[in-house]
Every structure is written in C-alpha cells, then in structure tokens.
C-alpha cells in the first residue's frame, strides 16, 4: 500500500519522524481488537446455546466402549493373579515365622541373662 507522502506506517525506520503517529496506529489497532472482541462476545452466547457443531457431536462412536472396559478388567491373566495370590500368602506366612522367631529369640536372650 502506498501512502501519500511516501511513508509506510509499518516501516520502523520512519517511526521517529512523525511524533505521535506511532501511538495513533497503536490506538487504531487497539480499537480494532476491541471491536472484534465485542463482536465475538455478542455471538458467544449464541454459540454456547447451540453447543458443538453436529459433525463434531457425531464423530465419536461409543458402541464398543463396554467391550473395551471389559477387556481392561481382565488385562492381567488369571494364571498371573493366582501366582500373585500364592506369593502373597507365602509372604504372609514367612512374616508370621519371622515374628515368632523374633519372639523366641527374645525369650532365649532373657533365659541366658537369668542363667548367668
């Protein structure tokens, strides 16, 4: 765009020569932005009431969601679950053995003190 006088308002080299022209351009741009925002806000309520466009609403097919969640419920094989249960029971038994051993060790220490 040629502006009479040969000055391009977007040219940073010519900004210093006009004094207030830079702030006038900023003010003009701010007014444009405010106008655009006001227009958007006027239409925003209409957009919210209408909801998303129909093509977006109908894109997702949720008919296989049930199958998906059912398959996730059995993602760990039954054999592995049985192994973990057996390991849990064995560790619990081992804990009981160690607890009993600790008690017996305390009793033995007390008897040794009594004997000495």
């Amino acid at each position: 765009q040629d502006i009479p006088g040969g000055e391009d308002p977007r040219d940073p080299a010519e900004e210093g020569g006009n004094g207030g022209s830079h702030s006038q351009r900023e003010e003009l741009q701010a007014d444009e932005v405010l106008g655009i925002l006001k227009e958007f806000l006027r239409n925003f309520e209409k957009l919210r009431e209408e909801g998303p466009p129909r093509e977006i609403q109908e894109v997702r097919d949720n008919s296989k969601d049930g199958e998906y969640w059912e398959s996730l419920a059995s993602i760990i094989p039954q054999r592995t679950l049985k192994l973990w249960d057996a390991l849990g029971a064995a560790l619990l038994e081992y804990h009981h053995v160690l607890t009993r051993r600790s008690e017996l060790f305390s009793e033995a220490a007390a008897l040794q003190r009594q004997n000495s």
Side-chain angles (χ1 to χ4, degrees), residues 10-55:
R10 294 169 293 186
D11 189 3
E14 297 178 3
E15 285 182 10
N18 281 347
S21 68
H22 181 67
S23 65
Q24 288 174 350
R25 278 180 285 173
E26 285 179 354
E27 187 176 316
L28 227 159
Q29 289 176 350
D31 288 342
E32 290 173 8
V33 169
L34 287 174
I36 292 169
L37 285 174
K38 285 178 183 178
E39 180 67 26
F40 173 77
L41 289 175
R42 271 187 237 120
N43 294 326
F44 184 70
E45 285 301 319
K46 293 177 193 172
L47 292 173
R48 286 185 86 183
E49 290 170 3
E50 293 172 5
R54 287 183 184 219
E55 61 269 6

Side-chain angles (χ1 to χ4, degrees), residues 31-98:
D31 288 342
E32 290 173 8
V33 169
L34 287 174
I36 292 169
L37 285 174
K38 285 178 183 178
E39 180 67 26
F40 173 77
L41 289 175
R42 271 187 237 120
N43 294 326
F44 184 70
E45 285 301 319
K46 293 177 193 172
L47 292 173
R48 286 185 86 183
E49 290 170 3
E50 293 172 5
R54 287 183 184 219
E55 61 269 6
I56 292 176
Q57 290 176 347
E58 297 172 5
V59 167
R60 189 172 181 291
D61 177 19
N62 59 2
S63 62
K64 296 187 179 182
D65 285 358
E67 278 181 42
Y68 173 76
W69 290 111
E70 286 296 322
S71 69
L72 281 183
S74 60
I75 198 161
I76 299 172
Q78 194 65 30
R79 183 176 176 196
T80 304
L81 290 175
K82 286 181 182 179
L83 176 66
W84 288 352
D85 288 341
L87 286 172
L91 284 173
L92 190 59
E93 183 62 34
Y94 185 57
H95 179 264
H96 289 304
V97 168
L98 289 178

